[in-house]
Amino acid sequence: MSWGKIHRESSDPYYDLNEDFDLIVSSFQSQYGIRLSKELPVGMKWSEFRDLLVGLGPDTALGRIVAIRAEDDKEVLKHFTKDQRRIRNAWRSRQAKQVKQEDMDRILEGFKTAFIKMAGGERDT
C-alpha cells in the first residue's frame, strides 16, 4: 500500500478515519462488497479509497452514524433515542475539544484587547 502521508482527519466534519475505521470497513463491505482487509494491502490507491468513501450511502453503518452526528433539525432531535443523543453529543463534545491553536490564539488575543479597552487602556502593539 503506497498512500504516502495520509491526513488522518477527514475533510468531512462528521467522521474520522481512525476512530470510525470499523464503520468504514463495514460500510465498504455492505455497499461495495469490498473487504478492505484484503484490498488495502494489495494496492488500493488512496484516491480510489477516498472516492469510494465519499460515495458511501446513508444506508451503511457509517452513513447512519454520520446522519446522527450531523442532524441539526430541532424537530428531528426531539425524537432522537437515548442512543442517538449519546452518539451525537459524544461527537459534538469531541469536536469542540479540537480547537486549533491558531484559532485559540486569535480568540484569546481578542479577549485581551477587549479587556484592555474596558479598563480604559490602549493596546500596545
Side-chain angles (χ1 to χ4, degrees), residues 28-119:
F28 269 63
Q29 176 66 38
S30 66
Q31 183 165 322
Y32 304 121
I34 295 174
R35 296 190 62 191
L36 287 179
S37 61
K38 293 185 182 211
E39 292 294 325
L40 292 179
V42 296
M44 179 185 283
K45 294 181 179 178
W46 169 247
S47 59
E48 180 184 3
F49 173 81
R50 184 188 63 231
D51 291 346
L52 292 171
L53 179 62
V54 170
L56 288 174
D59 292 332
T60 63
L62 182 64
R64 288 187 291 275
I65 293 297
V66 165
I68 291 168
R69 292 173 178 171
E71 187 58 63
D72 282 329
D73 185 315
K74 290 182 183 191
E75 287 302 313
V76 174
L77 292 172
K78 284 181 187 178
H79 302 287
F80 263 19
T81 66
K82 185 177 181 179
D83 284 337
Q84 288 171 315
R85 278 193 284 279
R86 179 188 51 77
I87 290 166
R88 184 175 181 274
N89 292 339
W91 181 257
R92 299 281 171 133
S93 176
R94 179 184 174 276
Q95 292 303 102
K97 291 177 184 175
Q98 292 185 344
V99 176
K100 293 179 183 174
Q101 186 60 46
E102 62 193 37
D103 292 338
M104 183 59 74
D105 291 344
R106 185 175 36 79
I107 291 167
L108 292 175
E109 189 62 32
F111 281 138
K112 180 179 173 183
T113 300
F115 284 128
I116 290 170
K117 287 182 180 178
M118 284 175 20

